[in-house]
Amino acid sequence: MKIGQLFSMMKDMRPEIKDYDLELVEAFELDQMKDKAMGTLSGGTRQKVSATLAFFVFSGYSDFG
């Protein structure tokens, strides 16, 4: 799966994802790698993708209990 496909899937699954969440994609410069497959990424870039996805999922939650 490519990075762009992964982020598109998350946006489809979680319509509450806001523009400021997508700013992480730009801040980590992942928008420039949207056509790269996850399996070809370096460990550091995989961590950036994972961190961005975590913010997509937990953004806006103030209580995890």
Side-chain angles (χ1 to χ4, degrees):
M1 178 173 278
K2 296 181 180 178
I3 294 176
Q5 293 171 318
L6 185 59
F7 291 144
S8 291
M9 181 179 68
M10 287 301 297
K11 286 176 14 183
D12 289 343
M13 289 172 44
R14 300 192 54 95
E16 66 273 13
I17 291 175
K18 306 289 186 225
D19 290 337
Y20 58 80
D21 294 321
L22 298 175
E23 289 175 7
L24 283 173
V25 175
E26 294 175 13
F28 288 146
E29 298 179 352
L30 297 173
D31 53 335
Q32 300 171 9
M33 300 181 195
K34 65 181 179 185
D35 294 325
K36 290 194 175 191
M38 286 292 294
T40 65
L41 301 177
S42 69
T45 302
R46 286 184 193 185
Q47 288 181 333
K48 290 178 184 179
V49 171
S50 296
T52 302
L53 291 173
F55 279 105
F56 280 4
V57 173
F58 292 111
S59 170
Y61 288 87
S62 59
D63 181 21
F64 294 104

